[in-house]
Structures are given as structure tokens and as C-alpha cells.
Amino acid sequence: MNDMYETEIPDLRWIVYDIPGNIGWISWLVCTYLCFDRGYIALGVSAIIPAVLMIIGVGELISERINGLDRLLTRRRLYRGFGSLSGIIAIPVSVIGIILKGDDLMGLMLVSEVLCALFACLLFKGYKKKQ
């Protein structure tokens, strides 16, 4: 159960994937706030769950760095970190928002989550079980 997973993604590729992914989750958090500001209470509440998952995922990956595990994660940390950023919940929330409200904010939420999910998945797929 303590299998370790490691990635050998070069630093430049990591940065190229990381920056748009970070823009995605940060934009999602801002858009979640804006839902409440615009009075979209139900959408704002449903956007909180993905926002919390994103924060958990980012926190997990940051704690990996703090603990000196440079791109080396246990299976649990790998899936908790990148799984939380995958968009399984956020993409449907933003699509429902587009259907119900149809404004630019909902479109921005969808783009934000697609960025986050795409680049998290690209980083995730670079991890391999360490022998």
C-alpha cells in the first residue's frame, strides 16, 4: 500500500503544465466568489465542492514539496493531489451553469476547470510506479 510513484518530467515541461493549471484553479476560486456576488447562490454553493477539492489537491502537492519529496508521491498522495484537480465535479457544475445562466462567468468557469483538469492530467500521466 506504500507504493511510491515518481515522475521524470523535465523542469521546463513541469512549468509549462503547471502555470496554466494554476491559472485554472485560481480562476475557479475567483469565479466561485463571483457567483455569490452576482446572486447565483445555488451555482455558488455547488461550485464550492470542486473549489474545496482543488484546494485539497493543491495543498497535497505543496506538502509533497515541503516534505522534500520532489516529484515522488505515495499512491494515496498522488491520487488525492491530482484526482482532486481532475474536474470530475467541476466541469458538470460549469456546464449546468452555462445552461441555466448562459453568461460569461459560467463560460469562464468551464475554461478555468478545463485548464486545471487538462494540465493536472498531463502531469499525472507522467508518474510511474517506482521499482
Side-chain angles (χ1 to χ4, degrees), residues 3-127:
D3 293 335
M4 298 299 289
Y5 290 79
E6 186 173 31
T7 185
E8 294 180 5
I9 293 174
D11 289 341
L12 182 59
R13 184 178 297 165
W14 185 280
I15 292 166
V16 167
Y17 291 171
D18 199 39
I19 290 172
N22 287 337
I23 290 169
W25 70 262
I26 292 167
S27 295
W28 181 272
L29 296 179
V30 170
C31 290
T32 299
Y33 167 79
L34 291 174
C35 281
F36 290 104
D37 189 56
R38 292 189 182 180
Y40 303 162
I41 304 304
L43 288 170
V45 169
S46 58
I48 286 175
I49 295 168
V52 168
L53 290 174
M54 288 175 196
I55 291 169
I56 289 169
V58 169
E60 189 65 45
L61 298 174
I62 289 171
S63 73
E64 165 241 346
R65 293 295 177 129
I66 290 171
N67 290 322
L69 301 171
D70 192 28
R71 301 181 189 169
L72 181 67
L73 297 167
T74 63
R75 181 179 176 159
R76 181 183 310 158
R77 291 175 83 96
L78 177 68
Y79 283 93
R80 192 181 312 143
F82 288 105
S84 298
L85 298 171
S86 69
I88 293 169
I89 298 171
I91 290 175
V93 167
S94 56
V95 169
I96 290 168
I98 289 170
I99 292 167
L100 296 176
K101 297 295 180 187
D103 69 4
D104 292 344
L105 178 60
M106 298 300 116
L108 180 58
M109 289 182 86
L110 179 60
V111 169
S112 297
E113 181 47 37
V114 167
L115 276 174
C116 186
L118 173 66
F119 290 101
C121 288
L122 286 171
L123 287 171
F124 175 80
K125 82 175 197 166
Y127 278 85

